[in-house]
Amino acid sequence: RPADPGAGAERSAGARVDRLYAQAEAATEKYNAAAESARELQRQVEYAQENAARKQERVNRLRSALASVAGAQYRSGGIDPSVALMLTEDADGYLDKAATLDRIGSRQEAKLRRLNSAERALRQQRAEADAKLAHLERERAARKHHKKAVLKKLREARAVLRELSPSERAERDRASRADGRDAASVPGAGA
């Protein structure tokens, strides 16, 4: 009906509604992708936080062990070992004790290195968890933005549909159902 002036307006409104629905669908797909990304990031953040908690426990155990040895060394006083050797009555016993203390000192030094390494790993783990958490917050903001876009497009489409006359809406509904049947009959279409 090219001579009918209302036909162009109907096609224009229908095309606008179709375009708005297509835009809403694209925004919905972005929203779904952002939601999936957010779920994955949430799992990663939880894993990183659990891992950081385990490392914190290790650091606490190492600190506790080192603190007890440091306290014992402090309480024993600060006599120079050569002076203590000269003042002792049992030189062999003192040398045995000194050798034992040297081994203990070496072990404590190794524990101190492990503590430093564990603290460094803990700081790194926390930094990674913080970065993932910040990324998660950005994903949530993006998801919120996409949701608003979807809702806006759908409101616009509904407004255009409300402007159509009842006969134009009925025609559009028939055309939509026919397109759906056509798409359903073609393998892979409508996916």
Side-chain angles (χ1 to χ4, degrees):
R1 300 180 309 183
D4 185 359
E10 181 182 326
R11 278 195 300 266
S12 173
R16 185 167 176 223
V17 168
D18 290 341
R19 187 179 74 250
L20 289 169
Y21 278 144
Q23 290 171 351
E25 184 176 345
T28 300
E29 289 173 9
K30 287 180 183 178
Y31 173 84
N32 291 339
E36 180 57 36
S37 178
R39 281 190 293 275
E40 177 59 30
L41 279 170
Q42 183 66 41
R43 285 190 291 270
Q44 291 175 8
V45 165
E46 288 170 1
Y47 174 77
Q49 288 173 335
E50 289 170 5
N51 201 6
R54 284 192 297 276
K55 286 181 181 180
Q56 182 65 56
E57 288 175 20
R58 182 172 184 245
V59 164
N60 291 344
R61 282 193 311 273
L62 287 169
R63 277 188 183 154
S64 178
L66 287 171
S68 64
V69 171
Q73 286 177 345
Y74 176 76
R75 286 188 297 278
S76 69
I79 297 177
D80 184 77
S82 57
V83 173
L85 177 60
M86 289 189 324
L87 296 176
T88 187
E89 293 178 10
D90 180 17
D92 287 334
Y94 178 80
L95 291 175
D96 287 341
K97 286 180 189 177
T100 301
L101 289 174
D102 187 47
R103 284 191 302 273
I104 290 172
S106 295
R107 287 185 196 132
Q108 295 310 313
E109 186 179 333
K111 281 185 180 179
L112 186 57
R113 281 193 301 274
R114 285 195 304 269
L115 173 64
N116 288 336
S117 175
E119 285 177 331
R120 208 171 23 261
L122 177 60
R123 282 191 302 273
Q124 181 180 355
Q125 187 69 39
R126 284 186 175 155
E128 288 174 12
D130 289 345
K132 287 182 188 287
L133 197 55
H135 190 216
L136 176 62
E137 290 305 317
R138 287 190 302 273
E139 285 290 327
R140 285 181 176 156
R143 195 172 67 203
K144 186 177 179 182
H145 172 74
H146 293 309
K147 183 177 181 178
K148 284 181 180 179
V150 167
L151 294 174
K152 180 182 177 199
K153 296 299 179 185
L154 290 175
R155 279 191 305 272
E156 289 176 13
R158 286 185 195 116
V160 170
L161 286 174
R162 279 193 299 271
E163 292 173 4
L164 295 177
S165 70
S167 63
E168 290 171 333
R169 254 186 261 143
E171 179 62 33
R172 172 148 176 78
D173 289 343
R174 278 193 299 277
S176 294
R177 284 192 294 272
D179 286 345
R181 282 193 304 273
D182 293 342
S185 65
V186 177

